[in-house]
Amino acid sequence: MSEREVERGSGVAVWRQIGEALAEDIRNKLYGPGEQLPPEPELATRFSVNRHTIRRAMGELELSGLVRIEQGRGTFVQEHAIDYAIGRRTRFSQNLAAQGMRGHLEIVESQVVRAPEVSKHLGLSRTAEVLRVQMVGKAENRTIDVAEHYFDPRRFPELEARLRTTQSISRALAQYGIADYTRKWSRITAAMPSAPVARLLNQPKTRPVLQVEALNVDIDGAPVQYSVTRFAGDWVQLTVSDND
């Protein structure tokens, strides 16, 4: 543990000195990737400050990408980024399995809506209804992305129930005879998350996310799924490949 002491009246804010001391502890491997930092009361005692000052220091460490704050659980040292491949066949679980990690999808909410631009991507009339399913992608039970997936509800009736059961888009679509589908196009940008998305990703809404807009088609070239996925930028490194 760093022996650095807080110097009041030094011209450097106390919370900043605390943040620098904890950052030094992390750089010196006193707290490893994924390891939880001491709770606020313990740190407040260590530095002889109140919990608000500790919270301010933790917030700055989170903004710098050194730690992540999980509501109700604590503060953890940030792990290395996950390599997430985007190619002709992009599969969430397979991407993580290739790195020795378990992944699954969980539904946040689902509803039938009218979205003219989405309908156009799916080859439907602008007034057609589409099924919107918001899902979070979990890697070892940690959220790494939040996505809105859109489908034609007439082609895939009761899809929400099958998604909940399988926790996989590929396995759910297979139940409709879609044995294979490929990525027709992807568009990758950086974007600022909405407050609800930031909460689901357990990150500040001031930190950008990697946003991937994509369209998947079946073997006949017919649209199957349009999606907008927002990845936690400090958790995921996107790689683009033309390979399957």
Side-chain angles (χ1 to χ4, degrees), residues 200-219:
L200 288 171
L201 288 174
N202 288 311
Q203 72 166 57
K205 63 182 180 180
T206 53
R207 182 187 300 163
V209 296
L210 297 173
Q211 179 171 291
V212 180
E213 181 186 5
L215 179 68
N216 289 328
V217 297
D218 61 22
I219 58 175

Side-chain angles (χ1 to χ4, degrees), residues 18-29 31-35 37 57-69 75-80 207 234-235:
I18 294 171
E20 290 174 352
L22 292 172
E24 184 177 334
D25 287 346
I26 294 172
R27 286 191 293 269
N28 290 335
K29 310 298 183 183
Y31 304 109
E35 188 174 345
L37 268 63
M58 291 298 196
E60 290 299 311
L61 286 176
E62 185 181 36
L63 286 174
S64 71
L66 277 178
V67 305
R68 67 177 187 280
I69 299 174
T75 301
F76 300 81
V77 178
Q78 191 62 275
E79 291 93 335
H80 299 299
R207 182 187 300 163
D234 54 351
W235 264 99

Side-chain angles (χ1 to χ4, degrees), residues 79-90:
E79 291 93 335
H80 299 299
I82 296 169
D83 286 324
Y84 192 91
I86 296 178
R88 292 188 65 243
R89 288 179 175 81
T90 299

Side-chain angles (χ1 to χ4, degrees), residues 130-170:
V130 296
L131 174 66
R132 172 187 177 273
V133 184
Q134 185 180 53
M135 308 181 80
V136 293
K138 301 263 188 169
E140 303 290 347
N141 292 318
R142 197 172 307 287
T143 300
I144 63 170
D145 74 61
V146 177
E148 284 78 45
H149 302 284
Y150 297 87
F151 307 88
D152 180 355
R154 294 171 300 179
R155 184 179 183 185
F156 305 113
E158 300 180 357
L159 176 59
E160 178 190 353
R162 301 190 187 196
L163 288 170
R164 289 188 184 277
T165 300
T166 62
Q167 295 185 325
S168 165
I169 293 174
S170 299

